[in-house]
Structures are given as structure tokens and as C-alpha cells.
């Protein structure tokens, strides 16, 4: 029986069914001349769909580089990202809008996903620095090139991942691509009130997310989940303790990309007594990131990403 690749509470798609779902999207991209271009997929701000992630995969499988955004972007913010990322087209609700001449070929090399770090003021969105994930990095050209969290955290079974963070966040697409490459299951959670039933119904064994997402989840969860990935931000000791206490975690992996080192940094702990060790990150070479304008680095004392 084929394994489920991508799912939500509304829809599940098997690995054996992926090609049938991707082919119409790839055909539509090619009809618009969008091979080897950067394409932004825009989804709802507070509701992610299986189709959103299928479009990301279709762009990549078609030789392009995907980017993501949400309907909550102001016109100024959206234009800033389109310009900074040299985006050729936007996909929203299955419809493609061309932003610039498709005959102007984009040099993509092996880029597959474009992310943005940005700053804003109360008045307006003011800066946007794009950086890219490469085919030789997160997505991988082979299973050995990909971040295999199952090996990192000592899990000997396929990962069934629950993901709750917003669609515009790079981390969501990054973890989806890792799941896809390692033939795990990526489940999109849109309703926190259903989290415990969802975990039990689909046998979730792995949760990843940013601090605010993990905090929301751990406040609701009352069932065991053995493996956790903390990414993209500072996690307090009390929050990590609650992961071990409320979810009976077997392993917690602190993982995020550092452009300053050019690698992914990570640490893994197996019990609450070792929490201090989770902040002592070590580099590993399974991810390369290219920064196009400014270096992105992490300041734990600020509990946030900075440029």
C-alpha cells in the first residue's frame, strides 16, 4: 500500500497519486512559459491547503524556483517581495498572473525555494532580503543529501509530521520538502481544537515549528508525541520542559539555518535534564544556503532573527 505524502483534515494524497496531481499544474505553468522561473504561490493567511503545497512542488519539479506569500500582504509588501525576489509570476487560487516578461530567462542554477527575511515599521514594509534553498541542500539530489531527521533524532520509522505555522514562513515549505524527500507524511493542521484527535487518528510522531507555533500546540496537546524539531527562533527552557512533560518526548532537535556559517546548526537532547545542551549548537554540512544581499544571523539574546 502506498504511503500518504501530503494531507490535511480535508484531503490525503498518496505518493503514488502525486504525479496525477502535479501534471495539470506543470502543464499550466508551461503554457504560461514558466519553466526555469521564480514563481510565488499565495495562500490564505490563516488557512493552508494541500493544493498550496502541491503548487510549490509543481514549480520545483518543472525546473523552477518556488516562493510563498499570503493574502495578508499589503500591496507594498507584495511588490517589495516580487521585486526583491525577481519573481516572474504569481499563483493564487489556481490562477496564474504574469508579473514580468517570461522570455527574460532567470538564472536559477540549482535553486528550488526562495525565502525572504524582512523588516517592517509601524508605517510600512521597508526592506526585503531574499535567500535561496538549493537542490543540493534541503531538497537534495539523493536521500543522502537531504536532512534526514529520522536519523538525526534516532527514529527508525517513517516520520508522520504535523505542521501548524503560517504558509508564508519558509520553514513550512522547507520541512515539507524534507518530508517529501525522505518519504514521510506532511500533515497540515488548520484547527488547533482538533489537534489531539488528529494526532491519534494519523499516528503523528513528529512536530516541527517556530516558537509561537510550538507554544500554541503544547498548550493544547495531551497525548504523547516522541520527536520534536524546534526551528527558526529562541525556545525558552520552560517551553522545552513542557514538551518533555506534556508530550512525553523522546528527542528534541534544535535546528535552524545560519547564513553566517553557511550550514545548518543543530543539537539533540533526549531528556529535560539536558536542556542547557540544546543551546550549544554544532554545524553540519547537509544544508547550504546562499544569501544574495545581506547575511542573516541569529541572536539568541534577542529571541529573533536579525540582519
Amino acid at each position: 500500500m502506498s504511503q500518504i505524502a501530503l494531507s490535511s483534515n480535508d484531503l490525503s494524497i498518496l505518493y503514488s497519486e502525486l504525479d496525477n496531481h502535479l501534471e495539470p499544474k506543470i502543464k499550466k505553468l508551461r503554457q504560461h512559459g514558466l519553466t526555469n522561473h521564480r514563481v510565488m504561490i499565495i495562500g490564505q493567511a490563516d488557512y493552508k491547503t494541500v493544493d498550496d503545497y502541491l503548487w510549490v512542488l509543481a514549480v520545483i519539479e518543472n525546473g523552477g524556483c518556488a516562493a510563498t506569500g499570503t493574502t495578508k500582504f499589503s500591496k507594498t509588501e507584495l511588490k517589495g517581495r516580487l521585486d526583491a525576489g525577481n519573481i516572474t509570476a504569481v499563483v493564487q487560487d489556481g490562477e496564474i498572473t504574469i508579473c514580468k516578461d517570461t522570455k527574460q530567462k532567470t538564472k536559477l542554477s540549482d535553486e528550488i525555494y526562495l525565502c525572504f527575511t524582512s523588516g517592517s515599521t509601524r508605517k510600512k514594509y521597508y526592506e526585503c532580503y531574499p535567500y535561496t534553498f538549493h537542490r543540493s541542500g534541503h531538497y537534495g539530489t539523493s536521500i543522502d543529501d537531504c536532512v534526514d531527521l529520522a536519523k538525526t533524532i534516532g527514529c527508525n520509522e517513517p516520520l508522520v509530521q504535523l505542521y501548524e505555522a503560517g504558509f508564508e514562513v519558509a520553514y513550512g515549505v522547507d520541512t515539507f520538502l524534507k518530508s517529501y524527500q525522505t518519504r514521510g507524511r506532511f500533515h497540515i493542521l488548520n484547527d488547533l481544537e482538533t489537534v489531539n484527535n488528529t494526532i491519534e487518528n494519523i499516528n503523528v510522531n513528529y512536530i516541527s515549528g517556530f516558537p509561537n507555533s510550538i507554544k500554541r500546540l503544547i498548550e493544547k496537546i495531551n497525548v504523547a508525541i516522541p520527536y520534536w524539531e524546534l526551528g527558526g527562533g529562541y525556545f525558552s527552557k520552560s517551553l522545552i520542559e513542557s514538551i518533555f512533560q506534556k508530550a512525553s518526548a523522546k528527542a528534541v532537535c534544535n535546528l535552524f539555518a545560519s547564513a553566517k556559517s553557511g550550514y545548518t546548526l543543530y543539537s539533540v537532547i533526549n531528556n529535560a535534564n539536558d536542556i542547557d545542551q540544546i543551546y550549544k549548537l554544532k554545524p553540519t554540512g547537509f544544508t547550504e544556503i546562499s544569501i544574495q544581499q545581506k547575511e542573516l544571523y541569529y541572536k539568541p539574546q534577542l529571541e529573533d532573527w536579525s540582519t
Side-chain angles (χ1 to χ4, degrees):
M1 185 173 67
S2 180
Q3 186 179 340
I4 293 174
L6 180 60
S7 60
S8 66
N9 286 352
D10 304 317
L11 180 65
S12 297
I13 296 178
L14 302 174
Y15 275 95
S16 60
E17 298 171 332
L18 272 177
D19 285 348
N20 290 336
H21 287 273
L22 294 177
E23 283 175 7
K25 291 176 168 54
I26 291 173
K27 183 179 179 180
K28 195 168 186 176
L29 290 167
R30 290 176 179 173
Q31 287 172 343
H32 285 79
L34 292 172
T35 300
N36 200 40
H37 283 278
R38 293 195 182 106
V39 179
M40 178 177 283
I41 294 89
I42 296 182
Q44 296 297 314
D46 301 315
Y47 192 90
K48 286 72 64 181
T49 69
V50 167
D51 204 56
D52 291 330
Y53 286 93
L54 286 173
W55 272 109
V56 169
L57 199 54
V59 169
I60 293 169
E61 295 291 359
N62 191 42
C65 178
T68 53
T70 74
T71 52
K72 73 178 182 181
F73 287 167
S74 67
K75 290 182 179 179
T76 302
E77 184 171 0
L78 178 59
K79 185 178 185 304
R81 294 189 180 222
L82 295 177
D83 291 344
N86 195 21
I87 305 294
T88 303
V90 167
V91 178
Q92 184 173 348
D93 297 327
E95 297 300 318
I96 297 174
T97 302
I98 302 298
C99 304
K100 69 185 188 88
D101 189 354
T102 57
K103 293 180 181 178
Q104 296 177 7
K105 292 296 181 183
T106 304
K107 273 192 169 184
L108 290 182
S109 182
D110 64 347
E111 298 169 19
I112 53 95
Y113 183 63
L114 178 68
C115 178
F116 300 91
T117 175
S118 60
S120 62
T121 65
R122 293 182 180 180
K123 293 182 179 180
K124 65 177 183 178
Y125 175 88
Y126 73 95
E127 60 183 11
C128 183
Y129 305 116
Y131 59 101
T132 54
F133 296 113
H134 286 224
R135 200 171 297 272
S136 57
H138 276 55
Y139 184 60
T141 51
S142 70
I143 200 73
D144 295 328
D145 295 330
C146 182
V147 179
D148 188 346
L149 260 295
K151 292 179 182 177
T152 303
I153 62 182
C155 177
N156 296 316
E157 56 189 282
L159 293 178
V160 180
Q161 175 181 354
L162 188 73
Y163 190 76
E164 186 264 343
F167 181 67
E168 80 278 13
V169 178
Y171 194 65
V173 175
D174 174 29
T175 52
F176 163 59
L177 294 176
K178 288 187 292 186
S179 175
Y180 171 71
Q181 185 67 10
T182 54
R183 294 190 72 80
R185 176 175 178 174
F186 186 86
H187 184 85
I188 305 160
L189 180 72
N190 286 304
D191 182 3
L192 268 174
E193 299 305 318
T194 67
V195 63
N196 289 297
N197 286 338
T198 299
I199 289 168
E200 292 183 327
N201 288 342
I202 69 173
N203 297 317
V204 172
N205 60 8
Y206 169 50
I207 284 183
S208 64
F210 283 100
N212 56 352
S213 175
I214 295 292
K215 186 177 180 181
R216 288 194 297 269
L217 286 167
I218 205 65
E219 286 174 352
K220 294 287 184 181
I221 285 172
N222 55 32
V223 293
I225 300 168
Y227 305 107
W228 292 71
E229 179 187 320
L230 316 180
Y234 177 82
F235 289 79
S236 67
K237 289 184 179 181
S238 60
L239 181 54
I240 300 171
E241 284 174 351
S242 65
I243 292 173
F244 281 103
Q245 291 168 358
K246 290 196 68 178
S248 304
K250 293 181 180 178
V252 175
C253 178
N254 191 11
L255 178 76
F256 59 83
S258 168
K260 206 165 184 63
S261 69
Y263 292 96
T264 291
L265 304 177
Y266 80 100
S267 59
V268 179
I269 59 172
N270 301 106
N271 61 75
N273 295 327
D274 295 331
I275 287 178
D276 286 340
Q277 299 300 313
I278 206 164
Y279 304 106
K280 298 177 181 179
L281 298 165
K282 58 183 178 179
T284 179
F286 48 43
T287 299
E288 294 181 10
I289 292 182
S290 169
I291 302 299
Q292 296 179 355
Q293 293 189 34
K294 286 191 176 183
E295 284 194 327
L296 181 71
Y297 58 96
Y298 184 68
K299 291 183 176 179
Q301 68 271 23
L302 298 180
E303 303 187 9
D304 201 0
W305 286 100
S306 299
T307 54

